[in-house]
Amino acid sequence: MAFWISQSLNALALGGLLFMLASGFSLIFGLMRVANLAHGALFMLGAYLGLAVVKAGFGFWVAAASAAVAVGLFGGVLERTLLRRLAGRTLPQVLLTLGLAFIIADACLMLWGGDPMRLPPPPELSGAVRIGDAVFPRYRLFVIGASAAVALGLWLLVERTRAGAMIRAAVDDVGMARAIGVSASTLFTAVFCLGTALAGLGGVIGGPILSVYPTLDQDMLPLALLVVILGGAGSLIGAFVGAYAIGFIYTFGQVLVPDLAYVILFLPMIAVLSVAPQGLFGRRLG
Amino acid sequence: MPEALILSDLHVYHGEICAVRGLDITCAEGAVTALLGRNGAGKSTTLSAIAGLLEPRQGHIRLFGTALEGRKPESICKLGIGLVPQGRRIFPSLTVEEHLAIAYRPPRHAAERVFDIASVETLFPRLKERRRQLAGSMSGGEQQMLAIARALVTNPRVLLLDEPAEGLAPQIVAEVAQAIAALKADGLSILLVEHNLPLALRLADTCVVLSSGEVAWRGAPNILADDPALMAQHLGVH
Ligand SMILES: Nc1ncnc2c1ncn2[C@@H]1O[C@H](COP(=O)(O)OP(=O)(O)O)[C@@H](O)[C@H]1O
Ligand SMILES: [Mg+2]
């Protein structure tokens, strides 16, 4: 029993981190039709920046906030200066974001070295709590709560505000949205900033669990892609359901059948895609 | 009457296909100009180019003297073009209320009539009943009304209507036609594309018939209505 509870909590924590990564990726893809393959690298960049801020003595919360802002601004600059020039050209965009992912990863390696580093959780969240007869790290409970709060905030933004309605309108039909006065340029930059800031934030929040190491991006990006394929691109609900589904499948796959962990990860994907090629909550994107 | 919208020597392509070749059309202020022609004549292409969704390769588009060609669709909307596109193109994941909220913009010119959410709900009472409904789940007629209302709340100086009666039941067509007549009575300048000829001829002050991207005929609606041979020649109707 203790095993199931504690692994379920692990799965929820991983699912929450995947949501922070995949929700931004999915929003960007739905709105701009750009598969931002640098998203995993921006997650890792957030983790390293957070670590640097913590090492400089500013504490975990300052690290989380500043990494999110810095990565978000960096994302906005990338969109304005590079991606924008390739609007509507899928292959050049894929190559560009893939190239950016390599550059960011190499820059991190150069700046911070190749050794895995631990990002310490804030002191008030260290230690463990008992849940039934399971003992569970307090920080992981925080991750579960924080990612749920991020999901709720994002949902309120997209579903309950005028700006969110503009985003959904542009996901549905960007030409028509522009023809009624929605500024595509502003919207694209804002969503790119938001999506990349979430990736940066996820990197810091995930740091104490995943630790920070040079191939963190390569471990995270495929999981985020799976989330988006499973849930459907451009759908926040899809990213939410997909993230927690992958969180559970990956966590239990690793502990129960470690040899088949990847098979178990991809089988449900094939099953879903064969019945719903758009993903569970995806719409046919024009 | 002063000119609201002037197209001169307009050429528009879809890739390498030339869909509109050298159009000269003038829409008078406060009038309904009907743009007619067979399927594929270039009517929708013309409206898309005015709204900035397609960039003209040559020629000029002037709205009360301001050049529109080469501008972004969002800028053209702000300058006063309201588009009701063919096929309605409502946003399936937005409610009626959200459509109107994101489109609403107070007028920047001395307007006879200001459209806000309340006034389009008066024009189309069904939209008021459907306020909280997702537009994707509404009937075609309701979606058409929403598409018109969405364009109106941008407070356009010229309204572009592309086949507003297409695929609607006769009773709904009557409702939509009545609304367009009311807009005309209010003095709104309208460029109307419509395949329902009796409807188009009843609403129009002047007609322009396109054929293969060029103007084939222009004149008063009653001349066209009274000349079956002319109609058959240009529109394929009897
Ligand atoms: N997206 C497109 N791509 C290529 N050709 C198009 C496209 N849309 C329209 N056309 C062509 O342009 C011409 C004019 O089309 P259109 O403006 O839609 O005509 P209408 O609205 O008068 O029926 C037609 O020959 C049509 O086949
Ligand atoms: Mg057409």
Side-chain angles (χ1 to χ4, degrees), chain A residues 36 38 41 74 78 82-83 95-105:
Chain A
N36 178 26
F74 182 53
L78 292 181
L82 297 175
L83 273 166
L95 293 176
L96 173 69
T97 59
L98 191 60
L100 285 170
F102 288 139
I103 293 170
I104 294 166

Side-chain angles (χ1 to χ4, degrees), chain A residues 200-251:
Chain A
L201 179 67
V204 184
I205 303 277
I209 297 180
L210 305 165
S211 82
V212 189
Y213 55 95
T215 54
L216 177 60
D217 59 331
Q218 295 168 30
D219 289 342
M220 293 305 282
L221 183 66
L223 294 179
L225 293 177
L226 284 179
V227 167
V228 175
I229 293 168
L230 184 65
S235 157
L236 207 53
I237 305 281
F240 187 80
V241 172
Y244 286 100
I246 298 291
F248 271 87
I249 295 168
Y250 187 75
T251 303

Side-chain angles (χ1 to χ4, degrees), chain A residues 158-166 168-170 172-185 283, chain B residues 51 53 72-74 77-78 81 83 85 88-89 91-95 98-99 101-105 150-151 154:
Chain A
V158 172
E159 298 292 333
R160 288 287 178 270
T161 67
R162 188 166 178 267
M166 287 183 183
R168 278 178 288 134
D172 282 347
D173 185 339
V174 69
M176 195 59 230
R178 298 180 73 183
I180 58 161
V182 173
S183 166
S185 159
R283 283 187 303 268
Chain B
L53 297 177
K72 298 183 215 162
E74 51 265 45
C77 172
K78 283 165 193 159
I81 292 288
L83 174 67
R88 309 185 269 272
R89 290 173 71 171
F91 307 117
S93 56
L94 268 62
T95 63
E98 286 173 332
H99 276 80
I102 64 169
Y104 175 70
R105 207 160 267 102
R150 175 179 65 179
T154 68

Side-chain angles (χ1 to χ4, degrees), chain A residues 7 34 38 57 71 76 87 94 101 125 129 134 150 153 169 173 177 179-180 195 234 236 243-244 272 283:
Chain A
Q7 289 306 330
V34 172
V71 173
V94 166
L125 293 175
V129 286
V150 167
D173 185 339
I180 58 161
L236 207 53
Y244 286 100
V272 166
R283 283 187 303 268

Side-chain angles (χ1 to χ4, degrees), chain A residues 41-61:
Chain A
L42 292 168
F43 179 91
M44 180 171 76
L45 179 64
Y48 274 116
L49 286 176
L51 188 61
V53 174
V54 166
K55 280 189 171 162
F58 286 102
F60 185 83
W61 305 111

Side-chain angles (χ1 to χ4, degrees), chain B residues 109-194:
Chain B
H109 47 90
E112 293 224 338
R113 175 161 180 194
V114 177
F115 289 99
D116 57 14
I117 292 172
S119 59
V120 293
E121 282 181 347
T122 310
L123 188 65
F124 297 117
R126 282 158 184 263
L127 293 183
K128 194 169 185 173
E129 296 160 22
R130 300 264 183 257
R131 236 183 225 176
R132 295 293 175 101
Q133 191 167 332
L134 284 180
S137 68
M138 298 198 307
S139 72
E142 287 159 353
Q143 291 186 3
Q144 187 63 62
M145 292 174 194
L146 178 58
I148 296 173
R150 175 179 65 179
L152 286 175
V153 295
T154 68
N155 282 292
R157 306 183 77 183
V158 173
L159 184 66
L160 313 178
L161 288 166
D162 200 343
E163 304 209 24
E166 190 183 26
L168 304 184
Q171 197 229 321
I172 307 291
V173 171
E175 261 181 70
V176 169
Q178 199 183 354
I180 298 171
L183 296 172
K184 176 183 172 176
D186 273 346
L188 189 61
S189 314
I190 297 175
L191 181 54
L192 170 71
V193 171
E194 183 51 65

